[in-house]
Amino acid sequence: MERAAALNESGAAAPWLPGRGSNASLELALRPPAPPAINPWDVMLCISGTAIACENAIVVAIICYSPGLRTPMFVLIGSLATADLLAGLGLILNFVFQYVIRSETVSLITVGFLVASFTASVSSLLAITVDRYLSLYNALTYYSERTVLCIHTMLVGTWGVSLCLGLLPVLGWNCLHDYAACSIVRPLTKSNVTLLSASFFLIFIIMLHLYIEICKIVCRHAHQIALQQHFLTASHYVATKKGVSTLAIILGTFGASWLPFAIYCVVGDPDYPSVYTYATLLPATYNSMINPIIYAYRNQEIQRSMWVLFCGCFQSKVSFRSRSPSDV
């Protein structure tokens, strides 16, 4: 009996031997998962987003603070700065939700937020280009109610389309449950990024055409002035050359920033190394960092407003020439 009891005890204990390993596995499963290793590319995107947000927040504050900056040109610059500010905040939030607060749903919302913000930024650049063209082509009627209505229509269209494109992945056009449909930017689908890239190419072509027309108008004005004065002065030649060079810098910066990423969105595959995506996406974010320098900080009226806002010691003897959108 004692021997049987001993066998029963040993037999009862035997099934728990594997269970110890199961309990150990269960303990490991219950522990909080180790935080993912931080990708240096994500850190650079977060730093870029911080710089973008700070730069553009200053521009938005200046335009909101200064009652004199209410002309169509500054309204469009404010729209561009607001879009870039939101894009910078989106990059920061994307980093936070990726490494600190991990949630698939929130990450999806963040991606939609970024799509809407960058779309609004690119669309605002197109609106500014149209405004500059109108200020030269219709110089006599530019400061009319018709122009104001046109600017407001462009703003409504810009933000309306951007919001719709940003809502698409949130409302279901994503690849969370279908990896085969994913693009290089998960969770956006291949068809989604193809639509975004096609929209960018269309905007780029329109901007290229408008800037070519602006160059023609600038050169024609310089030629007319030369005929009236019977010769082309050095100052007119320098001003014309400067205007054309500025237009080339604006369009070249925009194209160099966004074209690589837009092209890679079309030809890239999600199975390719992610470093290719980061290497093309990071320069695209730099465009939102450069925009305030090109469109805002170079403007003398914004410089004066900055002087008043931050220094509080503006002196009337410092002269600032009022600029129009045609002053490229």
mmCIF file of all heavy atoms in Angstrom, residues 247-291:
data_model
loop_
_atom_site.group_PDB
_atom_site.id
_atom_site.type_symbol
_atom_site.label_atom_id
_atom_site.label_comp_id
_atom_site.label_asym_id
_atom_site.label_seq_id
_atom_site.Cartn_x
_atom_site.Cartn_y
_atom_site.Cartn_z
ATOM 1 N N LEU A 247 12.595 82.306 -58.727
ATOM 2 C CA LEU A 247 11.599 81.341 -59.185
ATOM 3 C C LEU A 247 12.222 79.965 -59.390
ATOM 4 O O LEU A 247 11.615 78.940 -59.055
ATOM 5 C CB LEU A 247 10.964 81.831 -60.493
ATOM 6 C CG LEU A 247 10.106 83.100 -60.410
ATOM 7 C CD1 LEU A 247 9.625 83.503 -61.794
ATOM 8 C CD2 LEU A 247 8.924 82.876 -59.486
ATOM 9 N N ALA A 248 13.427 79.933 -59.940
ATOM 10 C CA ALA A 248 14.108 78.655 -60.146
ATOM 11 C C ALA A 248 14.420 77.978 -58.814
ATOM 12 O O ALA A 248 14.278 76.750 -58.677
ATOM 13 C CB ALA A 248 15.393 78.878 -60.941
ATOM 14 N N ILE A 249 14.812 78.778 -57.817
ATOM 15 C CA ILE A 249 15.108 78.210 -56.498
ATOM 16 C C ILE A 249 13.842 77.650 -55.864
ATOM 17 O O ILE A 249 13.846 76.550 -55.286
ATOM 18 C CB ILE A 249 15.742 79.288 -55.594
ATOM 19 C CG1 ILE A 249 17.139 79.654 -56.102
ATOM 20 C CG2 ILE A 249 15.811 78.808 -54.147
ATOM 21 C CD1 ILE A 249 17.772 80.819 -55.376
ATOM 22 N N ILE A 250 12.728 78.397 -55.976
ATOM 23 C CA ILE A 250 11.470 77.951 -55.388
ATOM 24 C C ILE A 250 11.030 76.625 -55.990
ATOM 25 O O ILE A 250 10.732 75.657 -55.278
ATOM 26 C CB ILE A 250 10.379 79.029 -55.595
ATOM 27 C CG1 ILE A 250 10.685 80.264 -54.751
ATOM 28 C CG2 ILE A 250 9.002 78.476 -55.253
ATOM 29 C CD1 ILE A 250 9.766 81.440 -55.035
ATOM 30 N N LEU A 251 10.987 76.573 -57.321
ATOM 31 C CA LEU A 251 10.523 75.359 -57.988
ATOM 32 C C LEU A 251 11.530 74.226 -57.825
ATOM 33 O O LEU A 251 11.140 73.060 -57.634
ATOM 34 C CB LEU A 251 10.283 75.647 -59.470
ATOM 35 C CG LEU A 251 9.478 74.597 -60.233
ATOM 36 C CD1 LEU A 251 8.075 74.484 -59.659
ATOM 37 C CD2 LEU A 251 9.408 74.929 -61.720
ATOM 38 N N GLY A 252 12.828 74.553 -57.876
ATOM 39 C CA GLY A 252 13.850 73.515 -57.717
ATOM 40 C C GLY A 252 13.827 72.898 -56.332
ATOM 41 O O GLY A 252 13.960 71.676 -56.186
ATOM 42 N N THR A 253 13.634 73.726 -55.309
ATOM 43 C CA THR A 253 13.556 73.217 -53.942
ATOM 44 C C THR A 253 12.351 72.308 -53.761
ATOM 45 O O THR A 253 12.444 71.226 -53.166
ATOM 46 C CB THR A 253 13.479 74.387 -52.945
ATOM 47 O OG1 THR A 253 14.631 75.217 -53.102
ATOM 48 C CG2 THR A 253 13.415 73.876 -51.520
ATOM 49 N N PHE A 254 11.213 72.752 -54.298
ATOM 50 C CA PHE A 254 9.993 71.956 -54.195
ATOM 51 C C PHE A 254 10.147 70.610 -54.905
ATOM 52 O O PHE A 254 9.806 69.554 -54.352
ATOM 53 C CB PHE A 254 8.835 72.753 -54.798
ATOM 54 C CG PHE A 254 7.527 72.011 -54.822
ATOM 55 C CD1 PHE A 254 6.894 71.651 -53.645
ATOM 56 C CD2 PHE A 254 6.918 71.686 -56.031
ATOM 57 C CE1 PHE A 254 5.679 70.970 -53.670
ATOM 58 C CE2 PHE A 254 5.711 71.021 -56.059
ATOM 59 C CZ PHE A 254 5.094 70.657 -54.881
ATOM 60 N N GLY A 255 10.683 70.643 -56.129
ATOM 61 C CA GLY A 255 10.854 69.402 -56.884
ATOM 62 C C GLY A 255 11.874 68.471 -56.257
ATOM 63 O O GLY A 255 11.648 67.261 -56.153
ATOM 64 N N ALA A 256 13.007 69.024 -55.816
ATOM 65 C CA ALA A 256 14.047 68.184 -55.218
ATOM 66 C C ALA A 256 13.577 67.541 -53.916
ATOM 67 O O ALA A 256 14.019 66.443 -53.564
ATOM 68 C CB ALA A 256 15.298 69.026 -54.959
ATOM 69 N N SER A 257 12.681 68.209 -53.208
ATOM 70 C CA SER A 257 12.198 67.674 -51.934
ATOM 71 C C SER A 257 11.190 66.543 -52.139
ATOM 72 O O SER A 257 11.277 65.492 -51.497
ATOM 73 C CB SER A 257 11.554 68.788 -51.099
ATOM 74 O OG SER A 257 12.483 69.801 -50.801
ATOM 75 N N TRP A 258 10.239 66.750 -53.038
ATOM 76 C CA TRP A 258 9.095 65.834 -53.128
ATOM 77 C C TRP A 258 9.185 64.814 -54.259
ATOM 78 O O TRP A 258 8.607 63.728 -54.157
ATOM 79 C CB TRP A 258 7.806 66.634 -53.284
ATOM 80 C CG TRP A 258 7.262 67.126 -51.977
ATOM 81 C CD1 TRP A 258 7.298 68.393 -51.482
ATOM 82 C CD2 TRP A 258 6.599 66.343 -50.975
ATOM 83 N NE1 TRP A 258 6.710 68.457 -50.250
ATOM 84 C CE2 TRP A 258 6.265 67.216 -49.909
ATOM 85 C CE3 TRP A 258 6.253 64.988 -50.865
ATOM 86 C CZ2 TRP A 258 5.610 66.778 -48.755
ATOM 87 C CZ3 TRP A 258 5.599 64.551 -49.729
ATOM 88 C CH2 TRP A 258 5.277 65.440 -48.685
ATOM 89 N N LEU A 259 9.866 65.147 -55.355
ATOM 90 C CA LEU A 259 9.879 64.236 -56.501
ATOM 91 C C LEU A 259 10.434 62.847 -56.176
ATOM 92 O O LEU A 259 9.839 61.842 -56.581
ATOM 93 C CB LEU A 259 10.654 64.868 -57.668
ATOM 94 C CG LEU A 259 9.846 65.780 -58.588
ATOM 95 C CD1 LEU A 259 10.750 66.406 -59.646
ATOM 96 C CD2 LEU A 259 8.719 65.002 -59.258
ATOM 97 N N PRO A 260 11.577 62.725 -55.466
ATOM 98 C CA PRO A 260 12.080 61.370 -55.175
ATOM 99 C C PRO A 260 11.076 60.504 -54.425
ATOM 100 O O PRO A 260 10.885 59.327 -54.760
ATOM 101 C CB PRO A 260 13.341 61.642 -54.333
ATOM 102 C CG PRO A 260 13.771 63.012 -54.718
ATOM 103 C CD PRO A 260 12.514 63.768 -54.975
ATOM 104 N N PHE A 261 10.413 61.075 -53.427
ATOM 105 C CA PHE A 261 9.451 60.291 -52.650
ATOM 106 C C PHE A 261 8.225 59.948 -53.487
ATOM 107 O O PHE A 261 7.714 58.825 -53.420
ATOM 108 C CB PHE A 261 9.029 61.077 -51.403
ATOM 109 C CG PHE A 261 8.067 60.338 -50.523
ATOM 110 C CD1 PHE A 261 8.459 59.197 -49.846
ATOM 111 C CD2 PHE A 261 6.753 60.780 -50.391
ATOM 112 C CE1 PHE A 261 7.569 58.505 -49.035
ATOM 113 C CE2 PHE A 261 5.865 60.104 -49.586
ATOM 114 C CZ PHE A 261 6.262 58.960 -48.907
ATOM 115 N N ALA A 262 7.743 60.907 -54.293
ATOM 116 C CA ALA A 262 6.570 60.641 -55.130
ATOM 117 C C ALA A 262 6.863 59.545 -56.154
ATOM 118 O O ALA A 262 6.017 58.673 -56.401
ATOM 119 C CB ALA A 262 6.127 61.930 -55.829
ATOM 120 N N ILE A 263 8.046 59.577 -56.742
ATOM 121 C CA ILE A 263 8.414 58.548 -57.717
ATOM 122 C C ILE A 263 8.570 57.196 -57.036
ATOM 123 O O ILE A 263 8.089 56.167 -57.538
ATOM 124 C CB ILE A 263 9.713 58.948 -58.444
ATOM 125 C CG1 ILE A 263 9.474 60.193 -59.305
ATOM 126 C CG2 ILE A 263 10.224 57.798 -59.315
ATOM 127 C CD1 ILE A 263 10.734 60.756 -59.926
ATOM 128 N N TYR A 264 9.202 57.189 -55.856
ATOM 129 C CA TYR A 264 9.407 55.920 -55.157
ATOM 130 C C TYR A 264 8.081 55.334 -54.677
ATOM 131 O O TYR A 264 7.942 54.107 -54.586
ATOM 132 C CB TYR A 264 10.358 56.113 -53.976
ATOM 133 C CG TYR A 264 10.737 54.817 -53.296
ATOM 134 C CD1 TYR A 264 11.471 53.852 -53.979
ATOM 135 C CD2 TYR A 264 10.357 54.556 -51.990
ATOM 136 C CE1 TYR A 264 11.819 52.656 -53.365
ATOM 137 C CE2 TYR A 264 10.695 53.371 -51.365
ATOM 138 C CZ TYR A 264 11.429 52.422 -52.066
ATOM 139 O OH TYR A 264 11.761 51.229 -51.459
ATOM 140 N N CYS A 265 7.104 56.177 -54.374
ATOM 141 C CA CYS A 265 5.780 55.666 -53.985
ATOM 142 C C CYS A 265 5.151 54.859 -55.121
ATOM 143 O O CYS A 265 4.384 53.923 -54.872
ATOM 144 C CB CYS A 265 4.852 56.830 -53.612
ATOM 145 S SG CYS A 265 5.146 57.497 -51.961
ATOM 146 N N VAL A 266 5.472 55.227 -56.366
ATOM 147 C CA VAL A 266 4.888 54.538 -57.521
ATOM 148 C C VAL A 266 5.672 53.273 -57.860
ATOM 149 O O VAL A 266 5.079 52.219 -58.136
ATOM 150 C CB VAL A 266 4.839 55.486 -58.734
ATOM 151 C CG1 VAL A 266 4.315 54.758 -59.971
ATOM 152 C CG2 VAL A 266 3.968 56.691 -58.423
ATOM 153 N N VAL A 267 6.991 53.354 -57.829
ATOM 154 C CA VAL A 267 7.816 52.222 -58.282
ATOM 155 C C VAL A 267 8.277 51.328 -57.136
ATOM 156 O O VAL A 267 8.730 50.208 -57.374
ATOM 157 C CB VAL A 267 9.049 52.735 -59.058
ATOM 158 C CG1 VAL A 267 8.625 53.600 -60.227
ATOM 159 C CG2 VAL A 267 9.993 53.528 -58.143
ATOM 160 N N GLY A 268 8.166 51.797 -55.895
ATOM 161 C CA GLY A 268 8.669 51.024 -54.759
ATOM 162 C C GLY A 268 7.758 49.862 -54.402
ATOM 163 O O GLY A 268 6.585 49.799 -54.776
ATOM 164 N N ASP A 269 8.321 48.936 -53.645
ATOM 165 C CA ASP A 269 7.597 47.750 -53.189
ATOM 166 C C ASP A 269 7.759 47.639 -51.679
ATOM 167 O O ASP A 269 8.838 47.931 -51.147
ATOM 168 C CB ASP A 269 8.161 46.492 -53.874
ATOM 169 C CG ASP A 269 7.310 45.272 -53.615
ATOM 170 O OD1 ASP A 269 7.568 44.574 -52.594
ATOM 171 O OD2 ASP A 269 6.382 44.994 -54.396
ATOM 172 N N PRO A 270 6.701 47.218 -50.960
ATOM 173 C CA PRO A 270 6.821 47.122 -49.495
ATOM 174 C C PRO A 270 7.873 46.139 -49.014
ATOM 175 O O PRO A 270 8.306 46.212 -47.861
ATOM 176 C CB PRO A 270 5.414 46.681 -49.052
ATOM 177 C CG PRO A 270 4.773 46.134 -50.273
ATOM 178 C CD PRO A 270 5.352 46.897 -51.421
ATOM 179 N N ASP A 271 8.301 45.225 -49.899
ATOM 180 C CA ASP A 271 9.337 44.267 -49.516
ATOM 181 C C ASP A 271 10.746 44.851 -49.630
ATOM 182 O O ASP A 271 11.710 44.225 -49.191
ATOM 183 C CB ASP A 271 9.233 43.002 -50.379
ATOM 184 C CG ASP A 271 7.954 42.221 -50.099
ATOM 185 O OD1 ASP A 271 7.490 42.258 -48.943
ATOM 186 O OD2 ASP A 271 7.416 41.589 -51.026
ATOM 187 N N TYR A 272 10.867 46.026 -50.254
ATOM 188 C CA TYR A 272 12.173 46.672 -50.346
ATOM 189 C C TYR A 272 12.613 47.128 -48.957
ATOM 190 O O TYR A 272 11.790 47.337 -48.067
ATOM 191 C CB TYR A 272 12.111 47.887 -51.274
ATOM 192 C CG TYR A 272 11.906 47.564 -52.736
ATOM 193 C CD1 TYR A 272 11.639 48.564 -53.659
ATOM 194 C CD2 TYR A 272 11.972 46.253 -53.196
ATOM 195 C CE1 TYR A 272 11.448 48.282 -55.001
ATOM 196 C CE2 TYR A 272 11.781 45.952 -54.533
ATOM 197 C CZ TYR A 272 11.515 46.969 -55.430
ATOM 198 O OH TYR A 272 11.320 46.688 -56.749
ATOM 199 N N PRO A 273 13.917 47.274 -48.728
ATOM 200 C CA PRO A 273 14.386 47.762 -47.419
ATOM 201 C C PRO A 273 13.763 49.108 -47.063
ATOM 202 O O PRO A 273 13.634 49.994 -47.910
ATOM 203 C CB PRO A 273 15.901 47.882 -47.613
ATOM 204 C CG PRO A 273 16.217 46.929 -48.714
ATOM 205 C CD PRO A 273 15.032 46.942 -49.635
ATOM 206 N N SER A 274 13.371 49.254 -45.815
ATOM 207 C CA SER A 274 12.699 50.481 -45.386
ATOM 208 C C SER A 274 13.603 51.704 -45.471
ATOM 209 O O SER A 274 13.108 52.833 -45.477
ATOM 210 C CB SER A 274 12.196 50.328 -43.950
ATOM 211 O OG SER A 274 13.280 50.084 -43.063
ATOM 212 N N VAL A 275 14.910 51.485 -45.553
ATOM 213 C CA VAL A 275 15.821 52.625 -45.619
ATOM 214 C C VAL A 275 15.563 53.448 -46.875
ATOM 215 O O VAL A 275 15.744 54.678 -46.872
ATOM 216 C CB VAL A 275 17.291 52.139 -45.583
ATOM 217 C CG1 VAL A 275 17.633 51.306 -46.814
ATOM 218 C CG2 VAL A 275 18.251 53.311 -45.463
ATOM 219 N N TYR A 276 15.080 52.804 -47.953
ATOM 220 C CA TYR A 276 14.770 53.546 -49.174
ATOM 221 C C TYR A 276 13.603 54.501 -48.940
ATOM 222 O O TYR A 276 13.605 55.639 -49.428
ATOM 223 C CB TYR A 276 14.439 52.584 -50.323
ATOM 224 C CG TYR A 276 15.564 51.669 -50.722
ATOM 225 C CD1 TYR A 276 15.315 50.434 -51.321
ATOM 226 C CD2 TYR A 276 16.891 52.019 -50.504
ATOM 227 C CE1 TYR A 276 16.350 49.583 -51.691
ATOM 228 C CE2 TYR A 276 17.933 51.188 -50.862
ATOM 229 C CZ TYR A 276 17.658 49.962 -51.457
ATOM 230 O OH TYR A 276 18.689 49.122 -51.820
ATOM 231 N N THR A 277 12.612 54.025 -48.210
ATOM 232 C CA THR A 277 11.458 54.878 -47.907
ATOM 233 C C THR A 277 11.876 56.065 -47.052
ATOM 234 O O THR A 277 11.514 57.219 -47.322
ATOM 235 C CB THR A 277 10.368 54.068 -47.179
ATOM 236 O OG1 THR A 277 9.989 52.945 -47.983
ATOM 237 C CG2 THR A 277 9.147 54.934 -46.904
ATOM 238 N N TYR A 278 12.660 55.789 -45.999
ATOM 239 C CA TYR A 278 13.112 56.873 -45.119
ATOM 240 C C TYR A 278 13.988 57.867 -45.876
ATOM 241 O O TYR A 278 13.879 59.085 -45.675
ATOM 242 C CB TYR A 278 13.895 56.300 -43.946
ATOM 243 C CG TYR A 278 13.047 55.693 -42.863
ATOM 244 C CD1 TYR A 278 13.045 54.321 -42.631
ATOM 245 C CD2 TYR A 278 12.243 56.488 -42.050
ATOM 246 C CE1 TYR A 278 12.270 53.756 -41.619
ATOM 247 C CE2 TYR A 278 11.466 55.939 -41.041
ATOM 248 C CZ TYR A 278 11.493 54.573 -40.830
ATOM 249 O OH TYR A 278 10.718 54.032 -39.832
ATOM 250 N N ALA A 279 14.856 57.356 -46.754
ATOM 251 C CA ALA A 279 15.804 58.226 -47.464
ATOM 252 C C ALA A 279 15.110 59.163 -48.442
ATOM 253 O O ALA A 279 15.658 60.219 -48.783
ATOM 254 C CB ALA A 279 16.836 57.373 -48.209
ATOM 255 N N THR A 280 13.910 58.789 -48.907
ATOM 256 C CA THR A 280 13.153 59.680 -49.795
ATOM 257 C C THR A 280 12.124 60.515 -49.040
ATOM 258 O O THR A 280 11.788 61.618 -49.466
ATOM 259 C CB THR A 280 12.438 58.857 -50.888
ATOM 260 O OG1 THR A 280 11.651 57.821 -50.272
ATOM 261 C CG2 THR A 280 13.448 58.220 -51.827
ATOM 262 N N LEU A 281 11.629 59.979 -47.912
ATOM 263 C CA LEU A 281 10.624 60.713 -47.137
ATOM 264 C C LEU A 281 11.241 61.869 -46.354
ATOM 265 O O LEU A 281 10.651 62.956 -46.259
ATOM 266 C CB LEU A 281 9.910 59.755 -46.180
ATOM 267 C CG LEU A 281 8.898 60.384 -45.208
ATOM 268 C CD1 LEU A 281 7.788 61.092 -45.978
ATOM 269 C CD2 LEU A 281 8.317 59.334 -44.277
ATOM 270 N N LEU A 282 12.426 61.672 -45.805
ATOM 271 C CA LEU A 282 13.053 62.711 -44.982
ATOM 272 C C LEU A 282 13.279 64.004 -45.763
ATOM 273 O O LEU A 282 12.943 65.092 -45.271
ATOM 274 C CB LEU A 282 14.355 62.185 -44.390
ATOM 275 C CG LEU A 282 15.028 63.073 -43.338
ATOM 276 C CD1 LEU A 282 14.114 63.244 -42.125
ATOM 277 C CD2 LEU A 282 16.373 62.468 -42.898
ATOM 278 N N PRO A 283 13.837 63.959 -46.994
ATOM 279 C CA PRO A 283 13.981 65.215 -47.749
ATOM 280 C C PRO A 283 12.639 65.877 -48.053
ATOM 281 O O PRO A 283 12.567 67.104 -48.149
ATOM 282 C CB PRO A 283 14.672 64.762 -49.041
ATOM 283 C CG PRO A 283 15.372 63.501 -48.687
ATOM 284 C CD PRO A 283 14.485 62.826 -47.687
ATOM 285 N N ALA A 284 11.573 65.075 -48.193
ATOM 286 C CA ALA A 284 10.251 65.662 -48.446
ATOM 287 C C ALA A 284 9.806 66.518 -47.265
ATOM 288 O O ALA A 284 9.194 67.574 -47.445
ATOM 289 C CB ALA A 284 9.238 64.552 -48.727
ATOM 290 N N THR A 285 10.125 66.071 -46.058
ATOM 291 C CA THR A 285 9.752 66.877 -44.882
ATOM 292 C C THR A 285 10.563 68.163 -44.812
ATOM 293 O O THR A 285 10.093 69.160 -44.241
ATOM 294 C CB THR A 285 9.967 66.074 -43.590
ATOM 295 O OG1 THR A 285 11.369 65.790 -43.408
ATOM 296 C CG2 THR A 285 9.215 64.750 -43.633
ATOM 297 N N TYR A 286 11.758 68.159 -45.392
ATOM 298 C CA TYR A 286 12.579 69.371 -45.370
ATOM 299 C C TYR A 286 11.916 70.515 -46.132
ATOM 300 O O TYR A 286 12.209 71.684 -45.872
ATOM 301 C CB TYR A 286 13.963 69.093 -45.955
ATOM 302 C CG TYR A 286 14.835 68.210 -45.099
ATOM 303 C CD1 TYR A 286 15.915 67.529 -45.639
ATOM 304 C CD2 TYR A 286 14.566 68.040 -43.744
ATOM 305 C CE1 TYR A 286 16.725 66.711 -44.848
ATOM 306 C CE2 TYR A 286 15.359 67.223 -42.948
ATOM 307 C CZ TYR A 286 16.433 66.556 -43.512
ATOM 308 O OH TYR A 286 17.230 65.748 -42.734
ATOM 309 N N ASN A 287 11.038 70.182 -47.083
ATOM 310 C CA ASN A 287 10.352 71.235 -47.822
ATOM 311 C C ASN A 287 9.512 72.102 -46.889
ATOM 312 O O ASN A 287 9.458 73.326 -47.039
ATOM 313 C CB ASN A 287 9.472 70.610 -48.903
ATOM 314 C CG ASN A 287 8.814 71.649 -49.786
ATOM 315 O OD1 ASN A 287 7.601 71.767 -49.818
ATOM 316 N ND2 ASN A 287 9.613 72.407 -50.510
ATOM 317 N N SER A 288 8.878 71.469 -45.892
ATOM 318 C CA SER A 288 8.093 72.226 -44.922
ATOM 319 C C SER A 288 8.987 73.035 -43.992
ATOM 320 O O SER A 288 8.521 73.989 -43.368
ATOM 321 C CB SER A 288 7.230 71.265 -44.084
ATOM 322 O OG SER A 288 6.280 70.622 -44.894
ATOM 323 N N MET A 289 10.263 72.666 -43.905
ATOM 324 C CA MET A 289 11.222 73.419 -43.107
ATOM 325 C C MET A 289 11.744 74.627 -43.888
ATOM 326 O O MET A 289 12.058 75.673 -43.313
ATOM 327 C CB MET A 289 12.385 72.501 -42.708
ATOM 328 C CG MET A 289 13.250 73.016 -41.580
ATOM 329 S SD MET A 289 14.648 71.898 -41.249
ATOM 330 C CE MET A 289 13.788 70.366 -40.878
ATOM 331 N N ILE A 290 11.804 74.484 -45.213
ATOM 332 C CA ILE A 290 12.338 75.551 -46.061
ATOM 333 C C ILE A 290 11.262 76.563 -46.424
ATOM 334 O O ILE A 290 11.552 77.746 -46.631
ATOM 335 C CB ILE A 290 12.968 74.936 -47.335
ATOM 336 C CG1 ILE A 290 14.149 74.032 -46.952
ATOM 337 C CG2 ILE A 290 13.430 76.009 -48.299
ATOM 338 C CD1 ILE A 290 14.701 73.239 -48.113
ATOM 339 N N ASN A 291 10.004 76.121 -46.481
ATOM 340 C CA ASN A 291 8.905 77.005 -46.900
ATOM 341 C C ASN A 291 8.851 78.322 -46.129
ATOM 342 O O ASN A 291 8.701 79.393 -46.746
ATOM 343 C CB ASN A 291 7.572 76.268 -46.774
ATOM 344 C CG ASN A 291 7.355 75.290 -47.903
ATOM 345 O OD1 ASN A 291 7.955 75.397 -48.968
ATOM 346 N ND2 ASN A 291 6.490 74.315 -47.685
#
